Amino acid sequence: MQNIGNLLKGKIAGPETGIEIKKSVCAICDPMTQCGLDLYVKDGQVIKVEGSEENPYSKGSLCSKGAANRQYLYSEERIRTPLKRVGPKGSGTFQPITWAEALDTIGEKLHQAKVETGPESVVFFAGYTKWFRPYLKRLAHSFGSPNYATESSTCYQAMAMAQRLVFGLPGGPDLPNTNCLLVWSSNPFHTNPGVAKAVLRGLKRGMKLIVVDPRQTPTTSRADIHLQLRPGTDGALALSMANVIISEGLYDKDFVANYTYGFEEYRAYIQTFPPARGEELTGVPADKIVAAARMFATVKNACIMPSSAPVVHHTNGLQNYRAVFMLVGLTGNYDVKGGNLVNPPSFVYQAGNFATREHEFEQSRAFSAMAQRIGAEEFPVWMDVADGQAQAMSIPDQIRSGRPYPIRAILAFGMNFRMWPDSLGMRRSLEDLDFLVNVDVFMTETCKYADLVLPACTSMERSELRCYNMGYVLYTQPAIPPLYESRSDADIIYALAERLCPEDALFRAGYEASIDWILEPSGMTTAELKKHPGGMFVPNPRILPERKYETGGFKTPSGKMEFVSTVIARYQERPGFDPLPVYRPSKYSREASPELARKYPLILNTGSRLPMFVHTRTYRLSWPSSLRPNHPSADLNPVDAEALGLRQDDEVRLSTLMGAIRVKVNLTQMVQPGMVCMYHGFGQADVNELFEKDYLDPISGFPGFKSALCSVEKV
Ligand SMILES: Nc1nc2c(c(=O)[nH]1)N[C@H]1C(S)=C(S)[C@@H](COP(=O)(O)OP(=O)(O)OC[C@H]3O[C@@H](n4cnc5c(=O)[nH]c(N)nc54)[C@H](O)[C@@H]3O)O[C@H]1N2
Ligand SMILES: Nc1nc2c(c(=O)[nH]1)N[C@H]1C(S)=C(S)[C@@H](COP(=O)(O)OP(=O)(O)OC[C@H]3O[C@@H](n4cnc5c(=O)[nH]c(N)nc54)[C@H](O)[C@@H]3O)O[C@H]1N2
Ligand SMILES: [Mo]
C-alpha cells in the first residue's frame, strides 16, 4: 500500500493525491525564451513548478527565474481588482471598482478623445510583454489610431531595421548547421538558455566561435576569438574586418558582382579602416581583427548571431549594425544553410515554419488612412522600414508640446516609465495626460500615475498561442482560473473592442475565432491545438528554399543587397543619415566629446542582462533576488577601483551631466577598465534618470543606453 501522506508530501501527481500536471509556458522572459512548464495543481492551487520535458525548446530545464513562477503567481504585489485613482497622481491611493465600470469609463474617455482631438490622440502601448500584441495593434487600428507603440522602440526594431536596410528581409543564424558562429554581442548563457544549449552543441561538433563583447562573459569564455572592443565601436570593428576580407580577396566575388549595390563606394570607404586603425578606434588588437576576419570569411558556412539590444543602444548604433550585417553578404553567407537564413516570423516575432495572417489581422486599417505616427518627423527611416509601430521615444515630447498633434490618453499594457531615457521626464509627461490606463500583473510605480489600473493575470492563468523555430506550436489553457478578479490581457482587449470598435467583425467573433482566422493558411486550428496541451510539431512545416533572392530579388528599393542605402539616401541632408555605413564615435565618448570626458572619464554601459533579473520583473521575488545582493550596484574593474580608492560594496555617486544616483560598487573582471556597467529598472537608483531624453540614435530613435560618459566617486 502506498502511503498517501508521503505521496502528498512528495507532491506526486495521480488519482490518489488528486494532484494534476497541467501544461503551461513561462512568460517571465518573452517571447524568444518561453520554457515549457509542468504545473502541479491541487484544489485550484499551483503547488509545484517543473520544466516540461516534452517542450523541444527547453527540454525540461528552467532558469532561476522560471523556477520562481509560484512566487510570481502568488506575489503579494498582485493587483486584485480594477482600481480607480482617488488621490493625486503618484500617491497610490485607489479605490476598487467593478470591471463594468472600468471598461465603460475607458470606452467613454477614449471615445471623447477621439471625437475632440482625433483617434490619433489615443496611444495604445505594450511594454516588454508580447503575447497579446496582434490583438492590441488591431484594437488601435480599428479604433482609428496609428499610434500602436511598444517596448520595441528600445529593443529589436533597430537591429531589424539595420538588416532590412541592407537585405530587405532579416536573416537569422542557422545555429544547428553553421561551422562558424560570430556572436555579435549576445550572452545567451544569461539571456536565452535554449540558444546557449545550441551553442554548446555546435562547439561539440567543432563549430568555430567568435564573440564580440566589451565584457568577459560565459559566452566569451568559450570563444576561439574574443574581440573585446570598447562599447559602441562595433561599426569600426566591422569596417576593419571588411578591410581585411576585401584586401586579402576573401570575399564572395560572385555574390558581390551579381547581387549587391554600392560595392565600389563601400570598398573605397573601408580603405580607411586598416587593422591598425581598427585597433586604435576599438581597442581590439589588430592581429585579432585579422584573425577573426580570416576565420569568418574562410570557414564555410558562417553566420552572425545578433542581439536586440547592445549594438543598437548607442547614438551610432544603427549604422554600426549595418556595417556588421554587410559582413554576411560580403562573405556570401546570406540566406544559405549554416549562414543567416531568411525564415519570416509566423506569430509574434517567432519563426514557427508555418504561414499565418498575423499581419493582415493587425493592420485592420492602412497607415495611409490614418494620421502620421508619433515620431514620423524625427524618424522617417523608422516609418519606412520598422514593423508598423510608432516610435515611443517621441511620446514624452509630443505629450508636452502637443505637436504635431496632441496626445490625450494612453491605454497601456505593462508600461514602465523607467524604460525610457530621462525616465523622470517620461513620468512627468504621463502626469500631463488627460487619461492613463495601465494594465499590469503587479502594482508598479507606473500604475500609481494611472487614472485606472486593471489587473492582468499571468501566463499560468490564461490561454495563449506561441510558437518555436523548430516548427512547434502551443496553445495553452489556464492551469488555474485567473486569481482574484484578474483577467487575461486578450480578454481585456476583446472587452474593450466591444466599446471602442463594435463594428469590427473579427473582434465580435471573439478571441479564439480570431486565432483560427490568423492560423488559417497553416491548416491548424485551436480545436486541434487544444488536443495537445504541451504543444505539437507543425503538421506540414513550411520549408523555404535557400537563396530566395535569386528568384525574387532583395526586398530593397534597388532589388539588391545595399552597401549604400537607397532608403537612408532619401534623407541624407539630415546629420548622421549617411547612405554608406559611416562610422562615427558615440556622441558622448572620449573621441567625440573630449571636454565632457575630462569631467566624466568612464564609459557608462547599462542593462547587460543578469541571469536572475528581467528588467523590473523579478526584483520582487525572493528566490531570484537572493542570488545577487538586492541593492542597486554598478560593476567596476578592480584597476579602476584601485585608482579611485574604492573597495567592494563601497557606496558611490554615479554621475552624468544629467544628475547622480547612489549605488554600491561591485568589483569584477567581467568589465574592462574604463567601463562602468549598471543594470536598469531599479526604482531606488534608476540609471535611466542619468540619460537625456534626446540621447538617441538619429535614424532609429534608440537610446544610447550603452555608451554615455560618467564619473564615480566615493560618498
Ligand atoms: N538603461 C537601460 N534601459 C533599458 C534597457 C537597457 O539595456 N538599459 N533595455 C531596454 C530593453 S531591450 C527592453 S526590452 C526594455 C524592457 O522594458 P519594460 O517594458 O520596462 O520591461 P518590464 O519591466 O519587464 O515589463 C514592464 C511591465 O510589464 C508587466 N507585465 C509582465 N507580464 C505582463 C502581462 O502578462 N500582462 C501585462 N499587462 N503586463 C505584464 C510587468 O509587471 C512590468 O511592470 O527596457 C529597455 N530599457
Ligand atoms: N535573464 C534575462 N534574460 C533576458 C532579459 C533579462 O532582462 N534578463 N531580457 C531579454 C531582452 S529584453 C533582451 S533585449 C535580451 C538581450 O539579450 P543579450 O543581447 O544576449 O544580452 P545583453 O546582456 O543585453 O547583451 C549581451 C552582451 O552585449 C555586450 N555589450 C554591451 N555593450 C556592447 C557594445 O557596445 N557592443 C557589443 N558588441 N556588445 C556590447 C554586453 O557586455 C553583454 O555581455 O535578453 C532577453 N533575456
Ligand atoms: Mo529587450
Side-chain angles (χ1 to χ4, degrees), residues 29-30 33 63 65 128 130 151 155-156 184-188 190-192 212-217 229-234 306-311 313-314 605-615 675 677 679-680 706-707:
C29 326
D30 199 34
T33 45
C63 73
K65 308 172 294 296
Y128 172 53
K130 303 193 176 62
E151 130 287 7
C155 181
Y156 171 76
W184 206 296
S185 85
S186 178
N187 180 21
H190 287 176
T191 58
N192 192 325
V212 182
D213 195 313
R215 297 186 313 147
Q216 293 186 32
T217 71
L229 78 184
R230 275 192 295 275
T233 63
D234 300 83
S307 162
S308 295
V311 177
H313 281 170
H314 299 279
N605 182 272
T606 67
S608 283
R609 305 311 188 230
L610 294 166
M612 68 298 278
F613 297 139
V614 180
H615 312 301
M675 173 180 180
C677 262
Y679 202 66
H680 57 289
K706 287 183 171 62
S707 53

Side-chain angles (χ1 to χ4, degrees), residues 27-28 72 125-132 151 154-156 308-309 313 412-416 418-420 439-442 444 456-459 462 489 606-609 614-617 620 678-680 687-688 691 705-706:
I28 297 180
Y72 194 75
F125 183 84
Y128 172 53
T129 311
K130 303 193 176 62
W131 72 277
F132 54 77
E151 130 287 7
T154 64
C155 181
Y156 171 76
S308 295
H313 281 170
F413 288 75
M415 178 186 265
N416 166 27
R418 298 202 184 277
M419 182 190 90
W420 274 258
V439 184
D440 205 304
V441 181
F442 306 106
T444 63
C457 65
T458 68
S459 63
R462 70 191 177 213
D489 298 281
T606 67
S608 283
R609 305 311 188 230
V614 180
H615 312 301
T616 62
R617 292 180 181 204
R620 59 173 65 80
M678 164 109 198
Y679 202 66
H680 57 289
V687 76
N688 287 16
F691 292 91
F705 286 141
K706 287 183 171 62

